[in-house]
Amino acid sequence: RAESWGSIIRVQSPEGVKRITATKRETVATFLKKVAKEFGFRNNGFSVYTNRNRTGEITASQNKSLNLLKIKHGDMLFLYPSSPAGSSSETMDTSVSQGLRPVGAPQVVEDEIDQYLIKQDGKIYRNRDQQL
């Protein structure tokens, strides 16, 4: 009877962990479509592995079920985007081109005194106090 409820498979990505419901007889391809939808991928711009060190890649297969791959309720899978930007490529591209400033951050022009002070070493030089 537990199969009718489905299993919960945890998928960890750089953005965090999401729980995805699947049945034992569900094909791997169907499961990966659910993963793509849950994480907001429009295409197959990611890979899913059974191990954190990127081994045991799960490839989309119409004739393999999750049960056949020994993936069961409560298992943790690991998602890595294919490109470094992943699903948030728009924000990553703009921040890299702007020197890693947050998107929408104003361009700040520092005062002349701030530009002078940043070049100093920050130490206060003084003569030795005889009472100390």
Side-chain angles (χ1 to χ4, degrees), residues 81-126:
S82 298
S83 62
S87 62
S88 57
S89 59
E90 296 84 13
T91 57
M92 288 296 291
D93 290 346
T94 55
S95 64
V96 169
S97 65
Q98 295 172 355
L100 297 178
R101 281 193 305 115
V103 176
Q107 184 68 34
V108 177
V109 178
E110 292 184 338
D111 291 335
E112 199 173 307
I113 186 70
D114 291 328
Q115 292 176 5
Y116 169 77
L117 289 173
I118 198 77
K119 295 175 187 168
Q120 304 306 308
D121 63 7
K123 295 180 182 174
I124 299 173
Y125 295 96
R126 61 183 176 182

Side-chain angles (χ1 to χ4, degrees), residues 14-78:
E15 281 103 39
V17 178
K18 298 198 185 229
R19 291 170 179 80
I20 296 169
T21 307
T23 63
K24 277 185 177 180
R25 292 196 175 90
E26 188 169 282
T27 65
V28 177
T30 306
F31 176 73
L32 289 177
K33 282 180 186 166
K34 285 182 182 179
V35 171
K37 184 178 179 189
E38 189 69 33
F39 282 94
F41 285 98
R42 287 185 288 280
N43 53 13
N44 293 336
F46 65 95
S47 299
V48 178
Y49 301 90
T50 54
N51 302 309
R52 191 183 303 272
N53 63 358
R54 297 186 186 207
T55 58
E57 183 174 2
I58 299 171
T59 55
S61 173
Q62 291 292 346
N63 53 7
K64 283 187 184 175
S65 67
L66 294 177
N67 195 32
L68 191 68
L69 294 177
K70 307 261 189 290
I71 297 170
K72 58 191 182 309
H73 176 74
D75 280 358
M76 174 83 84
L77 301 176
F78 302 93

